Structure formats: C-alpha cells, structure tokens
C-alpha cells in the first residue's frame, strides 16, 4: 500500500492524541483512504521533555526545517498554539507544498483568509475542523450538510472552561473565584484564564462559525464580547428562580439579511436543550431556513476528541491527494456582509439592580422603563442587607439601544446601581 507521510508540529495534548489514534485505528483509516498514513517526524520545542506517548519509529526533532525540507512529508499537523510563530511556519510549509491541518482558532480567526489564499496558490489543503468546539464535527457538517440550506442563526456554548465554571456556580453554589480555581485544578482553565473567561476564545470560534455559516468575514471588532468574570452567584440564583440557567453563549444571526454577533452571559430557559449542556461540554445549534433547528453536542476539548477532529481532516486531505483534488478552500461560501443596525437587534433582557430599600424606588425604575418604551416581563425583589435590596427583572423584547438608555438612566439615579444586564433567549 502506498504511504502518505505526516509531520506534526507540537506534541502537547492534541499532538499526542493524533499519534495515539493514528496508531490505534491504522487499519480502518487505510481501508477508507487506500493509503498507509505514517507519522514520520514530530517537531517539539523541548527535546528533553518526557512524553507519555509511544514515539517508536518517529523522528523527533526541534528543527522546523526537518519538516519543510522533507519532500516525503505531504501533510503537516500544526498543534503548537501561538499565533505569530505558527503563522510563519505554516506559510513556509504551504510554500513548500505541504497540506496543513491546524487546531489553532486564534490563528484561523485572525489570518484564515490570508492563509487559505496562500494554500490555494500552492494547490494545498488547509483544514481546521478541531479549531471550533474540539470534538464536535461542526465545520465540515456546515460545509457539507448545510450547503443547500440558508442558515439564519448559529449559536452555542463553544467554550468548555466557562461552561464548567458556570455549571459549578449554578449547581454547587460556589462563587466565580472558587469555580475558576477548580477549573484550573482539573486542567480546563489555563493559569492565565483571560482568553477563556473574558469570552475571547468563544469570539474567535464565532468568527470561524460565521465565516462557514454565512460566508462573511468578520473580526473581533465586529463582535460584542462580554466574559463571565463579573457574573455574580446571586444572579445565577435569581435567574434560576425565574426559570433560567445563565451560560456563556455565542450568537451569530441574520437580521434583515445583516449579521449580528455577540458573546456573553445569556439566560437560557431551563427547558431548552442548551440549558442542559453541563460542565466542559459544548453544543452548537444551527438553524436553517429549510431544516429548522439542529443541535450538535459533545466535548469541546480534550486529547482524543480534538485529535479525532484532526484525524478527520487528515483523512479528508488524503482523499483529496488520492483523487487529485487538493487546493480547494475548506469553505467556499463567501458573500458581502453588513452589520445589523443597533435598532434591529432585539432580545428580551435580564436586568439586575442594587437598590436602597426605601419608598419610591420602583416608581423611579418604572419611569425609566416607560421613558424608553420598554416593558417589564417578570420582577423579583430579594433582600441584600438591612438597607439594600436586589431587584431583578426580565423585560419584553427591546433593542440594544433601548437597553443602553435604560442602563445609563438607572446608573444616574441616586441609590440604584446596575449589577448586570444579560440577553434572555426566548422561550
Ligand atoms: N479553551 C477552550 C475551552 C478549549 O475551554 O473550550 C480549546 O478551544
């Protein structure tokens, strides 16, 4: 059987998983592709580091040129992380004719178009299924199975770290710092958790999902991003009393054919499937005009789930090599896109207030709501201490512009502070 040689750049969690799965499932993969896939070379940063995966027969080096100059290597898997170095290496590899598979969402969200163009020029494939929602095969599903449909919304829980933290806060009533510490101890959260907890990792994934679902190229600047680091345990409890779970949700939707993308804490009615996605799991809901709402659920990270997505890319490249069809974009859908106008983005909202507990406060809040023509849906007051109460409310649909006016007007009131304002997903 003909051999296809593979190089791997980076031997952390995902790289080790790729070595393991390729070894364990060699026969099945060969029977599907008609080729024997062999990992020839692995490039690592630290040659002395002990590895917990069997590397027998694999050339382990710390020199990128050992991949670039090896004419026998056709496919390179980049799982080293970092953006600048990975970009430079991938460009050099593409220019030397190697097909690239990467799990690097920061890189693809920022430089995906540029790299896809370079891949095309070199007649190479550039695939990155593992970059969004780890083990959930969502990108190729959108490319293949939604090709004929018109996607109107993609939303989901695309960050496992924050979903773990929110689940712990909600189920075990621990505060944010405790839940974060537990996520770090279990290895879900990095020592510097900023990218995850401030919603940036989820925003990168939404950029890639938007490109696939709507054919539109957007950047971080086009996304309204709020993380979970300021979510108060008390709001999770109050939302629960009203029948909602709070989770970090990314939403990309077409409104009058314009796009609106956001990442932030959102109240989800507890009978909706997204509300039941717990701990480090991810879920993506894709709504097509023809098919309606579909949901894809699974592990968003982890060695073998993410490596399985990398392997699906390796198999796709191999089939293209066999058929002589390399060099097409992962996603060919491309169209001009405009941002939705602030007035046309409407949601029900949850607003949480700290209010001095004295006569006339509800009247002041009602006056603000009335002045911007916003309407209450549910209201709940609980005691904070002898002097202060927390008033939480959900509203009927209103625009972001209305919400901003309400938050600004209430913040100007004496003795009333806005603690939080989050979108509410409709029932
Ligand atoms: N840090 C990500 C998460 C996993 O917590 O979901 C890799 O994308």
């Amino acid at each position: 059987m003909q051999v296809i040689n593979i190089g791997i750049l980076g031997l952390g969690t995902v790289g080790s998983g790729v070595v393991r799965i390729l070894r364990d499932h060699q026969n099945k993969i060969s029977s599907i592709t008609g080729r024997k896939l062999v990992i020839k070379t692995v490039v690592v940063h630290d040659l002395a580091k002990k590895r917990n995966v069997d590397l027998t027969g694999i050339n382990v080096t710390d020199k990128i040129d050992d991949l670039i100059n090896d004419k026998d290597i056709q496919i390179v898997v980049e799982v080293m992380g970092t953006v600048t170095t990975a970009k430079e290496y991938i460009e050099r590899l593409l220019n030397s004719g190697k097909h690239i598979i990467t799990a690097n969402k920061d890189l693809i969200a920022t430089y995906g178009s540029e790299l896809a163009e370079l891949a095309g020029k070199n007649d190479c494939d550039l695939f990155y299924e593992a970059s969004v929602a780890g083990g959930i095969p969502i990108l190729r599903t959108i490319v293949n199975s939604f090709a004929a449909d018109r996607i109107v919304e993609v939303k989901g829980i695309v960050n496992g770290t924050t979903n773990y933290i929110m689940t712990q806060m909600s189920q075990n009533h621990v505060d944010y710092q405790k839940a974060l510490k537990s996520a770090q101890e279990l290895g879900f959260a990095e020592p510097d958790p900023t990218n995850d907890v401030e919603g940036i990792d989820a925003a990168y994934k939404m950029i890639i999902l938007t490109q696939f679902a709507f054919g539109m190229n957007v950047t971080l600047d086009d996304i309204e991003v709020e993380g979970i680091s300021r979510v108060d345990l008390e709001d999770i409890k109050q939302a629960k009393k009203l029948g909602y779970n709070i989770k970090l949700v990314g939403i990309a939707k077409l409104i009058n054919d314009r796009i609106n993308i956001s990442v932030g804490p959102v109240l989800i009615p507890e009978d909706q499937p997204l509300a039941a996605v717990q701990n480090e799991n991810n879920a993506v809901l894709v709504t097509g005009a023809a098919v309606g709402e579909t949901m894809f659920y699974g592990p968003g990270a982890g060695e073998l789930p993410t490596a399985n997505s990398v392997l699906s890319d390796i198999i796709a490249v191999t089939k293209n090599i066999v058929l002589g069809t390399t060099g097409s974009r992962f996603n060919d859908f491309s169209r001009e896109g405009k941002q939705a106008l602030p007035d046309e983005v409407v949601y029900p909202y949850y607003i949480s207030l700290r209010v001095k507990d004295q006569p006339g406060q509800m009247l002041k809040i009602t006056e603000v709501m009335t002045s911007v023509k916003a309407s209450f849906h549910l209201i709940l007051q609980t005691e904070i201490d002898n002097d202060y109460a927390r008033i939480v409310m959900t509203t009927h649909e209103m625009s972001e512009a209305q919400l901003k006016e309400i938050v600004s007007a209430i913040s100007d009131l004496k003795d009333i502070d806005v603690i939080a304002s989050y979108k509410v997903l409709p029932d």
Side-chain angles (χ1 to χ4, degrees):
M1 189 178 275
Q2 286 182 43
V3 168
I4 289 192
N5 286 303
I6 296 169
I8 302 184
L9 202 43
L11 197 60
T13 311
V14 183
S16 305
V18 172
V19 174
R20 242 184 271 279
I21 297 186
L22 203 44
R23 263 219 173 106
D24 293 351
H25 304 169
Q26 181 71 255
N27 291 343
K28 182 181 178 198
I29 293 168
S30 291
S31 97
I32 288 169
T33 60
R35 294 291 181 274
K36 183 171 183 201
L37 303 189
V38 172
I39 297 174
K40 186 175 178 197
T41 301
V42 174
V43 179
V44 297
H45 181 62
D46 178 4
L47 279 176
K49 191 168 167 187
K50 214 177 140 16
R51 311 284 165 177
N52 63 354
V53 60
D54 180 9
L55 297 172
T56 312
I58 299 175
N59 172 32
V60 183
T61 168
D62 58 358
K63 293 183 192 63
I64 179 69
D65 285 344
D66 289 351
L67 286 184
I68 293 171
N69 297 330
D70 188 338
K71 298 230 165 348
D72 290 340
I73 292 179
Q74 290 176 271
I75 301 173
V76 173
V77 175
E78 183 277 310
V79 279
M80 59 186 276
T82 80
V83 173
T84 317
T85 315
K87 179 171 183 266
E88 184 209 315
Y89 287 177
I90 287 175
E91 285 169 345
R92 291 178 62 199
L93 287 158
L94 286 171
N95 283 328
S96 61
K98 317 286 184 215
H99 306 285
I100 300 290
I101 288 148
T102 176
N104 193 330
K105 72 207 89 103
D106 308 31
L107 175 77
I108 292 298
T110 315
Y111 299 109
S113 296
E114 192 181 322
L115 291 174
E117 203 172 314
L118 183 62
K121 269 191 199 146
N122 287 292
D123 205 17
C124 289
D125 283 345
L126 169 68
F127 291 153
Y128 37 91
E129 179 64 72
S131 66
V132 176
I136 305 178
I138 189 64
L139 296 183
R140 197 159 277 113
T141 298
I142 293 177
V143 169
N144 293 334
S145 307
F146 285 84
D149 204 348
R150 178 176 181 270
I151 295 176
V152 293
E153 184 181 60
V154 176
K155 66 171 178 263
I157 293 167
V158 290
N159 182 273
T161 304
T162 46
N163 201 51
Y164 175 84
I165 292 172
M166 298 304 288
T167 305
Q168 292 304 308
M169 289 174 76
S170 169
Q171 292 183 347
N172 299 335
H173 307 291
V174 293
D175 67 14
Y176 169 77
Q177 287 303 338
K178 272 211 182 109
L180 170 62
K181 194 156 173 281
S182 146
Q184 283 169 324
E185 281 162 6
L186 287 165
F188 298 137
E190 307 282 338
D192 175 0
T194 312
N195 254 25
D196 287 322
V197 299
E198 297 307 340
I200 299 158
D201 174 88
Y204 281 138
K205 291 166 179 164
M206 293 311 296
I207 289 173
I208 300 170
L209 283 171
T210 299
Q211 218 275 316
F212 275 63
F214 305 105
M216 295 176 190
N217 286 326
V218 294
T219 70
L220 267 189
D221 292 339
D222 300 315
I223 308 182
E224 192 197 307
V225 183
E226 181 178 350
I228 59 157
S229 58
R230 284 173 302 282
V231 174
D232 192 334
L233 179 57
E234 204 52 44
D235 279 314
I236 292 179
K237 290 182 185 166
Q238 299 306 322
K240 215 174 220 176
K241 283 187 200 160
L242 299 175
Y244 299 94
N245 286 354
I246 304 183
K247 290 180 175 289
L248 186 84
V249 178
I251 308 175
K253 69 192 250 185
L254 281 184
I255 303 167
N256 301 325
D257 214 34
R258 290 181 278 267
I259 191 80
N260 177 256
I261 315 168
S262 62
V263 168
V266 164
L267 272 73
I268 309 172
E270 61 195 1
D271 57 357
Q272 286 196 7
L274 214 47
V277 177
Q278 309 294 19
N279 290 316
E280 71 277 19
N281 288 302
N282 283 197
V284 182
L285 273 86
V286 184
T287 308
V291 74
E293 193 171 88
T294 59
M295 177 163 162
F296 304 87
Y297 167 87
E303 177 183 337
L304 295 179
T306 311
N308 186 55
S309 289
V310 170
L311 260 303
S312 79
D313 283 346
I314 292 178
I315 290 165
V317 175
T318 304
K319 285 181 177 170
N320 286 342
I321 292 172
V322 172
L323 296 170
T325 54
T326 58
S328 297
R329 283 184 179 243
F330 193 1
N331 169 45
D332 272 323
F333 182 28
S334 170
R335 56 169 288 203
E336 285 297 308
K338 286 208 170 84
Q339 293 287 321
L341 308 171
D343 277 353
E344 57 191 1
V345 183
V346 294
Y347 283 94
Y349 280 92
Y350 167 90
I351 302 174
S352 172
L353 306 172
R354 180 175 180 274
V355 178
K356 190 152 192 198
D357 203 353
Q358 62 192 17
Q361 302 290 62
M362 280 309 293
L363 177 62
K364 287 196 263 177
I365 297 164
T366 307
E367 277 170 354
V368 170
M369 291 286 283
T370 310
S371 72
V372 297
K373 300 190 174 59
S375 170
F376 294 108
H377 176 230
L378 300 170
I379 305 176
L380 186 64
Q381 174 168 333
T382 49
E383 187 181 284
I384 293 179
D385 55 32
N386 280 345
D387 296 324
Y388 283 88
R390 179 184 295 251
I391 295 177
V392 303
M393 59 179 102
T394 56
T395 71
H396 289 287
E397 277 190 349
M398 61 176 162
S399 69
E400 276 175 24
Q402 282 171 295
L403 176 74
K404 279 190 182 133
E405 272 189 65
I406 291 170
V407 170
S408 158
I410 292 183
S411 303
D412 286 344
L413 294 174
K414 196 169 171 290
D415 298 325
I416 305 182
D417 300 315
V418 179
I419 299 172
S421 58
Y422 301 135
K423 289 187 173 80
V424 178
L425 291 189
D427 288 319

